Amino acid sequence: MPIYSAPVQDIQFVLHDLLEADDSEIPGYEELSREFTAAVLGEAGKLATEVLAPLNTVGDKQGCRLENGTVHTPEGFGEAFEEIRQGGWNGLDLPEEFGGQGLPYLLGTAVGEIMVSANMALNMYQGLTHGAINTLLAHGSNDQKATYLPKMVSLEWTGTMNLTEPHCGTDLGLIRTKAEPRDDGSYAVTGQKIFISAGDHDMAQNVIHLVLAKAPGGGAGTKGISLFLVPKFMVNADGTLGPRNAVNVGKIEEKMGIHGNATCVMDYDGATGYLVGELHKGMRAMFTMMNEARLGVGLQGYAQAEAAWQNARTYARDRLQGRAATGAQNPDGPADPIIVHPDVRRMLLDQKSFVEGARAFTFWGAQLIDRANRKDDAEAEGMISLLTPVIKGFLTDKGFDSTVLAQQVFGGHGYIEEWGMSQFARDARIAMIYEGANGIQALDLVGRKLPQDGGRHMIVFFEMVKTFIKENETDGTLEADFLDPLKKASKDLQAAGMFFMETGMKDPDSALSGSYDFMQLFGHVCLGLMWARMAKAATEALAHGAGDAKFYRTKLATGRYYMARQLPATSMHLARIQSGAGPVMSLDAVSF
Amino acid sequence: MPIYSAPVQDIQFVLHDLLEADDSEIPGYEELSREFTAAVLGEAGKLATEVLAPLNTVGDKQGCRLENGTVHTPEGFGEAFEEIRQGGWNGLDLPEEFGGQGLPYLLGTAVGEIMVSANMALNMYQGLTHGAINTLLAHGSNDQKATYLPKMVSLEWTGTMNLTEPHCGTDLGLIRTKAEPRDDGSYAVTGQKIFISAGDHDMAQNVIHLVLAKAPGGGAGTKGISLFLVPKFMVNADGTLGPRNAVNVGKIEEKMGIHGNATCVMDYDGATGYLVGELHKGMRAMFTMMNEARLGVGLQGYAQAEAAWQNARTYARDRLQGRAATGAQNPDGPADPIIVHPDVRRMLLDQKSFVEGARAFTFWGAQLIDRANRKDDAEAEGMISLLTPVIKGFLTDKGFDSTVLAQQVFGGHGYIEEWGMSQFARDARIAMIYEGANGIQALDLVGRKLPQDGGRHMIVFFEMVKTFIKENETDGTLEADFLDPLKKASKDLQAAGMFFMETGMKDPDSALSGSYDFMQLFGHVCLGLMWARMAKAATEALAHGAGDAKFYRTKLATGRYYMARQLPATSMHLARIQSGAGPVMSLDAVSF
């Protein structure tokens, strides 16, 4: 069975050494002392190692089953969910008004990483609920908030998001689910939704569905869409549960992975729904919390990579095959551990340098969200809007690749299910698809986020990189290993942006043909920036004689690996972008 | 259910326009007229589309099961295997002396692609048999050949290769399976082998295992290893089957994919075995046919990509989502087919340009093997030895990536099992691992093949590229779109080789740290060379007014895409290689 233990030291390094969370001017951050985060992360880690992770393969093997209209989750999931509930984990970063603890989203993100690494399928029941809560917080009426939020924050009830229909996912303007107004102010919701994660299960008393549907009088396309709250069980005025609503699980999908999470076809047959937010403004309501939702999926990408990597590292230290080219390292054994082989190290360091960079990038994003929400900081809001598609797209792509690499370290043992490495890859694969497929993230990045506010946020990003480089050029070691590669990568990114500006006016296909490579290029620059900053933090910690010198030296070596061996990808992406629309658009559809 | 139809036109383009198979001086190639290959490929395609492909998802869903010591294959596999047997497909490229048709390996490879695309798991029963036959052809005694080969060529009996044990795969020197000589000249084989593909099944009367084991008197490590033939059922002097031998299936592994193929733990408990080839020379015997076996796995990589790509292309033409940025392409429909979107085209063209380049590369390799075997051409033998790890490693890596891209085109529908896209990715994944994990291929390439015969074959390769460029520089279009990128990529490869020469003498880890990137770099140059040659062939066909002008123009456009958007990867790989051993080797094992 795969192992997992929470990387508390590394998480704390990012929170405190890099992001200086305990020294931040963001309201709520004053709570984030090193002692406090150590305690919270330690508890989360204990739960993850002892309860959640052991159920990960159970969930994969058993999956969910639909019996008499109810979804049954794998053995042990119910008890584990109860522990999550009892621990108050769901409310960590939710308002105290509704039973939460009101702590920063940054801390919620750090805890989330641990939960997702341990058991992504189980965590999704909670994650979807979180998304639904945030949507209700932003758009629900006071009555709705009072009725639903306390139970959802406490996880007595869970939530879902219903967007996709069989014939449309990305293009939501095509949805057919209808909402007919009734005299009592409620709506009768009718239609079929598919791919509904955590659509039903046996771990909570009620499921609160947020459903996109078309009510009469809206325009065509996405303009006519409204958002409705449809409970599985009706809620009486006193808060107790009434009869079943007319919403049913049509079937559970068979999937490549995340078997422990029920992906449901939901049939609405005149189900009672309540309008959330304004009529015909459903798209806006659903996507308000998009930055957080997408950051959460980006997190899934690297959190699966973290779990897979921990196992690959252990295997590489234990498995004896062959001898080091430079002489036996384990002369008394029958062979050396495979970690002596350069190509095994390459695979391990690709994973390690990605995961640690991705963690920093994601936490930085979470801090920006806190800054935007808790300080009304428009600059932070703009920056996280720009970075969100990169966090989602780049980290899920590379996270998946990283799980595939971890599998590869195991050779044939990585392909059989016994060791659990296949599951990490199969589970991680979904993150590249849902919450907007990665190609859509690239489109969002290049088509909307880049030009947003006159391109201002991209300029701010470049300024930030430039300033960081300028401020630290006096440090010779930092300069050669970190700043020079970052400068080069950032220049590639600027050249790509310039290419879009020059050609995009005349031909939108030119920018769109390079959008995916731009997202990758941008992702590398972001991780390069994170690594340069982490290198600075590690260097300073070493200079101040910090406790665990080995940790900081390892951090520097890992960063050097990323800069030397991953960052050169930027020139390839730039070359692809600069090849323009010609190679992509020249064939007509029938010639493919 | 996924579709599949054999790409006969494209296969014929490679066979005839590119490799001029019907005009070759290689013995046996005189049979390969366009009419003849069309007939053979057409028949293979019919079998693939009508019989094999429809069973692909059946095999995935049902898998194999072990009951009372016998492996049962999925429903329909037995009947399909009988059709393969009746069609004489297994003997296509095997000696007439043993019931085969003696046709070139090149044609066998072309047919093999079709069978693998349609149903890889089923094809493996035949593929492993082919490998065992080739080993017996090269090393078996005349008696062994007479007893076993006719039944194996006809597929009445199938074969396996037994190398791996629980504690060793790559490092075969560690194997523990023992062979004790008996008075009658046979051996008692005892030990456990794992990951034995097609280890047992219910589709043939007998299974002939080729087993590596240690007989007394051999040295330590791989020197002490011999090769033994161990039949499932003993064979009487008259060729009829006798009692069961003491070899049993311990269990069937649960795997990520290729569920239709039984991956067995084989327990040998004093089983009767017969020495194949010389005592203590088993490693050499087992690896004699390595070039063919590894080419066969490289083929699996792109053949799965081909099948996946056919489905992605169809889906992209059918699925309506969004509108083209340059104006509606399907104004009467609710939305445009997603093939109008540049990023969907990027995904499709990445697949198409890879698969077609990979086909050319693999077939060229098969032609080199024919040249080596049928003409005793040492130059061809040296070249295919050099290229084999590239064919295996590069094509399986990129083939898997390509199936993941195909899955991505389907969005959420690619993640659920219903559409079959997950299976292509799960099945393709194994090809990166077995027959020598891809890191081992890179090691073989850089550690053995590059320096082989004083580096002569690499020099011949560079000369070939240079000559081709020189000979065709007069063609302006070819030069800009194909020759210039090829020249640049080839220079990157030369620079990488130079770096290894300069640093490898002092520090073996320096070359080994870059071995994987070298394999990728080399792969891109090979596909670049293939595309340049195909572009030349297509240009000539167009100049001669060949029939299907659209096919040749599409070929040119696809090639331009590869050169513009894939070949730039070479500079990234070079940069990684040139970063040397430092970033890879600096951490000690405990610091990971």
Side-chain angles (χ1 to χ4, degrees):
Chain A
M1 203 174 64
I3 53 154
Y4 173 72
S5 68
V8 173
Q9 187 176 19
D10 204 65
I11 290 177
Q12 282 209 300
F13 169 76
V14 176
L15 291 180
H16 301 290
D17 291 20
L18 180 70
L19 299 177
E20 301 176 339
D22 42 345
D23 193 32
S24 164
E25 77 290 13
I26 304 168
Y29 274 52
E30 63 283 354
E31 307 238 26
L32 303 182
S33 69
R34 278 179 192 261
E35 293 68 33
F36 180 68
T37 62
V40 172
L41 297 169
E43 277 306 307
K46 200 160 164 282
L47 180 68
T49 301
E50 295 175 5
V51 179
L52 309 181
L55 290 172
N56 197 39
T57 48
V58 176
D60 186 55
K61 278 193 211 315
Q62 293 188 4
C64 296
R65 67 200 151 77
L66 179 63
E67 262 177 35
N68 303 322
T70 300
V71 171
H72 297 272
T73 50
E75 259 171 76
F77 268 43
E79 292 79 359
F81 203 66
E82 183 59 31
E83 284 206 45
I84 294 168
R85 190 183 283 133
Q86 295 292 341
W89 290 106
N90 194 49
L92 195 75
D93 57 353
L94 292 173
E96 291 170 276
E97 185 187 353
F98 299 107
Q101 297 175 61
L103 287 161
Y105 175 63
L106 174 61
L107 186 63
T109 302
V111 168
E113 182 204 304
I114 295 172
M115 305 271 189
V116 172
S117 287
N119 195 324
M120 173 165 152
L122 177 57
N123 177 266
M124 286 172 65
Y125 294 96
Q126 180 188 344
L128 270 296
T129 307
H130 227 84
I133 290 169
N134 281 329
T135 305
L136 288 176
L137 277 170
H139 300 282
S141 67
N142 287 338
D143 265 7
Q144 287 170 341
K145 288 181 191 171
T147 305
Y148 297 100
L149 286 182
K151 299 277 192 185
M152 292 173 78
V153 170
S154 70
L155 276 187
E156 284 165 275
W157 301 350
T158 65
T160 72
M161 313 289 264
N162 289 237
L163 290 77
T164 306
E165 300 185 6
H167 63 290
C168 68
T170 299
D171 190 353
L172 289 169
L174 303 175
I175 67 169
R176 293 175 191 151
T177 298
K178 294 258 174 279
E180 292 290 336
R182 289 177 179 152
D183 294 342
D184 65 356
S186 73
Y187 287 77
V189 177
T190 303
Q192 190 178 65
K193 295 288 181 178
I194 64 169
F195 302 159
I196 309 309
S197 298
D200 192 55
H201 57 92
D202 52 4
M203 304 188 297
Q205 298 155 12
N206 205 2
V207 181
I208 310 304
H209 303 288
L210 295 185
V211 185
L212 289 184
K214 290 196 171 173
T222 54
K223 287 186 223 77
I225 294 175
S226 306
L227 181 64
F228 297 91
L229 182 157
V230 182
K232 175 180 171 182
F233 287 101
M234 302 305 296
V235 180
N236 299 321
D238 64 355
T240 58
L241 296 184
R244 269 296 285 258
N245 199 354
V247 47
N248 287 291
V249 180
K251 71 165 182 171
I252 304 181
E253 303 286 359
E254 304 262 342
K255 309 184 298 292
M256 186 178 187
I258 50 166
H259 296 157
N261 197 278
T263 304
C264 298
V265 173
M266 301 301 302
D267 292 318
Y268 295 85
D269 187 17
T272 299
Y274 307 102
L275 182 67
V276 176
E278 287 180 61
L279 191 66
H280 309 317
K281 300 271 170 72
M283 286 294 282
R284 214 170 54 182
M286 187 59 110
F287 285 115
T288 307
M289 309 314 297
M290 196 161 62
N291 289 344
E292 286 189 37
R294 292 187 167 176
L295 184 139
V297 176
L299 179 148
Q300 289 181 331
Y302 86 79
Q304 286 303 293
E306 163 72 34
W309 137 253
Q310 289 192 11
N311 287 278
R313 173 180 57 189
T314 302
Y315 189 82
R317 283 180 185 146
D318 292 346
R319 176 81 171 173
L320 306 179
Q321 293 286 278
R323 292 293 184 190
T326 49
Q329 301 288 301
N330 175 32
D332 299 333
D336 288 343
I338 61 173
I339 201 170
V340 305
H341 303 301
D343 193 61
V344 172
R345 291 173 154 260
R346 169 192 65 84
M347 291 193 275
L348 293 176
L349 283 162
D350 275 352
Q351 296 168 61
K352 182 175 167 66
S353 65
F354 162 71
V355 168
E356 294 178 14
R359 174 176 297 125
F361 186 26
T362 304
F363 286 15
W364 175 41
Q367 193 181 37
L368 285 169
I369 289 176
D370 277 330
R371 204 181 289 276
N373 293 345
R374 291 172 177 249
K375 287 196 71 181
D376 263 336
D377 183 332
E379 190 107 320
E381 173 72 36
M383 184 56 67
I384 189 59
S385 287
L386 174 69
L387 297 178
T388 291
V390 185
I391 292 174
K392 197 282 182 182
F394 184 69
L395 299 190
T396 58
D397 272 3
K398 297 294 175 191
F400 171 71
D401 290 350
S402 195
T403 61
V404 171
L405 266 180
Q407 206 186 1
Q408 192 71 14
V409 171
F410 281 71
H413 297 278
Y415 194 67
I416 60 174
E417 295 292 348
E418 191 178 330
W419 290 78
M421 301 307 289
S422 155
Q423 188 189 348
F424 292 126
R426 289 185 291 99
D427 285 1
R429 181 68 185 85
I430 187 58
M432 297 157 70
I433 297 173
Y434 62 18
E435 199 57 42
N438 286 357
I440 299 299
Q441 303 298 329
L443 181 66
D444 178 49
L445 174 64
V446 170
R448 294 193 339 130
K449 301 301 175 58
L450 262 192
Q452 205 166 339
D453 300 325
R456 166 167 170 70
H457 309 299
M458 197 70 228
I459 295 167
V460 171
F461 179 87
F462 284 127
E463 281 304 318
M464 186 171 46
V465 173
K466 224 164 106 182
T467 306
F468 179 81
I469 292 172
K470 202 160 208 148
E471 281 174 3
N472 294 285
E473 270 171 343
T474 48
D475 182 334
T477 322
L478 209 60
E479 188 175 10
D481 293 347
F482 291 92
L483 303 183
D484 288 349
L486 177 61
K487 199 187 286 180
K488 157 87 181 65
S490 176
K491 263 189 193 159
D492 286 344
L493 186 63
Q494 273 181 293
M498 204 62 87
F499 179 81
F500 288 162
M501 295 226 302
E502 284 164 7
T503 64
M505 301 294 170
K506 288 167 288 182
D507 176 16
D509 284 338
S510 177
L512 296 177
S513 296
S515 59
Y516 206 84
D517 284 285
F518 188 82
M519 181 173 78
Q520 301 290 325
L521 205 177
F522 201 170
H524 277 298
V525 174
C526 288
L527 258 62
L529 174 63
M530 291 299 108
W531 271 116
R533 285 185 171 169
M534 288 196 282
K536 187 189 173 184
T539 307
E540 283 174 358
L542 283 169
H544 298 149
D548 190 350
K550 199 170 135 248
F551 173 83
Y552 292 107
R553 280 198 297 266
T554 298
K555 185 61 71 181
L556 284 166
T558 309
R560 271 185 220 111
Y561 181 91
Y562 193 88
M563 303 311 274
R565 301 203 32 122
Q566 292 299 337
L567 225 46
T570 59
S571 61
M572 174 186 72
H573 292 299
L574 176 60
R576 286 186 186 162
I577 289 165
Q578 289 176 334
S579 74
V584 175
M585 301 307 292
S586 67
L587 275 185
D588 52 21
V590 291
S591 297
F592 271 76
Chain B
M1 204 174 63
I3 52 153
Y4 173 72
S5 68
V8 173
Q9 187 176 19
D10 204 66
I11 291 177
Q12 283 209 300
F13 169 75
V14 176
L15 291 179
H16 302 291
D17 291 21
L18 180 70
L19 300 177
E20 300 176 339
D22 43 345
D23 192 32
S24 163
E25 78 290 13
I26 304 169
Y29 274 52
E30 65 282 354
E31 307 238 28
L32 304 182
S33 68
R34 278 179 191 260
E35 294 68 33
F36 180 68
T37 62
V40 172
L41 296 169
E43 277 305 307
K46 200 160 164 281
L47 180 67
T49 300
E50 294 175 4
V51 180
L52 309 182
L55 290 172
N56 197 39
T57 48
V58 176
D60 186 55
K61 277 191 208 319
Q62 294 188 2
C64 296
R65 69 200 150 77
L66 178 63
E67 262 177 36
N68 303 322
T70 300
V71 172
H72 297 271
T73 51
E75 259 171 76
F77 268 43
E79 291 79 0
F81 203 65
E82 183 60 31
E83 284 205 45
I84 294 168
R85 190 184 281 132
Q86 295 291 340
W89 290 107
N90 193 51
L92 195 76
D93 57 354
L94 292 172
E96 291 170 278
E97 185 186 353
F98 299 107
Q101 296 175 64
L103 288 161
Y105 174 63
L106 174 61
L107 186 62
T109 301
V111 168
E113 181 204 304
I114 294 171
M115 305 271 190
V116 172
S117 287
N119 195 324
M120 174 166 153
L122 177 58
N123 177 266
M124 287 172 64
Y125 294 96
Q126 180 189 342
L128 270 296
T129 307
H130 227 85
I133 290 169
N134 280 329
T135 305
L136 287 176
L137 277 170
H139 301 282
S141 67
N142 286 338
D143 266 7
Q144 286 171 342
K145 288 182 193 174
T147 306
Y148 297 100
L149 287 182
K151 300 277 193 185
M152 293 173 77
V153 170
S154 69
L155 275 186
E156 284 165 276
W157 301 350
T158 66
T160 72
M161 313 290 263
N162 289 238
L163 290 76
T164 305
E165 300 185 4
H167 63 291
C168 68
T170 299
D171 191 353
L172 289 168
L174 302 175
I175 68 170
R176 294 176 189 150
T177 299
K178 294 258 173 280
E180 291 291 335
R182 289 176 181 152
D183 293 343
D184 65 356
S186 73
Y187 287 76
V189 177
T190 303
Q192 190 178 65
K193 294 289 181 176
I194 65 168
F195 301 158
I196 308 309
S197 298
D200 192 55
H201 57 93
D202 52 4
M203 303 189 296
Q205 298 156 12
N206 204 2
V207 181
I208 309 305
H209 303 288
L210 295 184
V211 185
L212 289 184
K214 289 195 171 175
T222 54
K223 286 187 224 78
I225 294 175
S226 306
L227 181 64
F228 298 90
L229 182 157
V230 182
K232 173 180 173 183
F233 287 100
M234 302 305 296
V235 179
N236 299 320
D238 65 355
T240 58
L241 295 185
R244 269 295 288 258
N245 198 355
V247 48
N248 288 292
V249 179
K251 72 164 181 170
I252 304 182
E253 304 285 0
E254 303 263 341
K255 309 185 298 291
M256 186 178 186
I258 50 166
H259 296 157
N261 197 279
T263 304
C264 298
V265 173
M266 301 301 303
D267 292 318
Y268 294 86
D269 186 17
T272 299
Y274 308 101
L275 182 68
V276 176
E278 287 180 62
L279 192 67
H280 308 318
K281 300 271 170 73
M283 287 294 282
R284 214 169 54 181
M286 187 58 109
F287 284 116
T288 306
M289 310 313 297
M290 197 161 61
N291 288 345
E292 286 188 39
R294 293 187 167 176
L295 183 139
V297 176
L299 179 148
Q300 289 181 331
Y302 86 79
Q304 287 303 293
E306 163 73 34
W309 136 253
Q310 289 192 13
N311 287 278
R313 173 180 56 188
T314 301
Y315 190 81
R317 283 180 185 145
D318 292 348
R319 176 81 171 173
L320 306 179
Q321 293 287 278
R323 291 293 184 189
T326 49
Q329 300 289 301
N330 175 34
D332 299 333
D336 289 343
I338 59 172
I339 201 168
V340 305
H341 303 301
D343 193 61
V344 172
R345 291 174 154 257
R346 169 193 64 83
M347 292 194 274
L348 294 175
L349 283 162
D350 274 354
Q351 296 169 61
K352 182 175 167 65
S353 67
F354 162 71
V355 167
E356 294 179 14
R359 174 176 297 125
F361 186 26
T362 304
F363 286 15
W364 175 39
Q367 192 182 38
L368 285 169
I369 289 177
D370 276 330
R371 204 181 289 276
N373 292 347
R374 291 173 177 247
K375 286 197 72 181
D376 263 337
D377 183 332
E379 189 106 322
E381 173 72 36
M383 184 58 66
I384 189 61
S385 287
L386 174 69
L387 297 178
T388 291
V390 185
I391 292 174
K392 198 282 183 182
F394 183 69
L395 298 191
T396 59
D397 272 3
K398 298 294 175 190
F400 171 70
D401 290 348
S402 195
T403 60
V404 171
L405 266 180
Q407 207 186 0
Q408 191 73 13
V409 171
F410 281 71
H413 297 279
Y415 194 68
I416 59 174
E417 295 291 349
E418 191 179 331
W419 290 79
M421 301 308 290
S422 156
Q423 188 189 349
F424 292 126
R426 290 186 289 99
D427 285 2
R429 181 69 185 86
I430 187 58
M432 297 158 69
I433 296 173
Y434 62 20
E435 198 58 40
N438 286 357
I440 299 299
Q441 302 298 328
L443 181 66
D444 178 50
L445 174 63
V446 170
R448 296 193 337 131
K449 301 301 176 59
L450 262 193
Q452 205 168 340
D453 300 325
R456 169 169 167 66
H457 309 299
M458 196 71 228
I459 294 166
V460 171
F461 180 86
F462 284 126
E463 280 304 319
M464 186 172 45
V465 174
K466 221 163 109 179
T467 306
F468 178 81
I469 292 172
K470 202 161 209 147
E471 281 174 3
N472 295 285
E473 271 171 344
T474 48
D475 182 335
T477 321
L478 209 60
E479 189 175 7
D481 293 346
F482 292 92
L483 303 183
D484 288 347
L486 176 61
K487 200 187 285 179
K488 157 87 181 63
S490 177
K491 263 189 193 157
D492 286 344
L493 185 63
Q494 274 181 291
M498 203 64 85
F499 179 81
F500 288 163
M501 294 225 303
E502 284 164 7
T503 63
M505 300 293 169
K506 288 167 286 180
D507 177 16
D509 284 339
S510 177
L512 296 177
S513 296
S515 59
Y516 206 85
D517 283 286
F518 188 82
M519 182 172 78
Q520 301 291 325
L521 205 177
F522 201 170
H524 277 297
V525 174
C526 288
L527 257 62
L529 174 63
M530 290 300 108
W531 271 117
R533 283 184 170 167
M534 287 196 283
K536 186 190 173 185
T539 306
E540 283 174 0
L542 283 169
H544 298 148
D548 191 350
K550 200 172 133 245
F551 173 83
Y552 293 107
R553 279 198 298 266
T554 298
K555 184 62 72 182
L556 283 166
T558 308
R560 270 184 221 112
Y561 182 91
Y562 193 89
M563 303 311 274
R565 301 206 31 124
Q566 294 298 339
L567 225 46
T570 58
S571 61
M572 174 186 72
H573 292 299
L574 176 61
R576 287 187 186 162
I577 288 165
Q578 289 176 334
S579 73
V584 175
M585 301 308 292
S586 67
L587 276 185
D588 52 21
V590 291
S591 297
F592 271 76

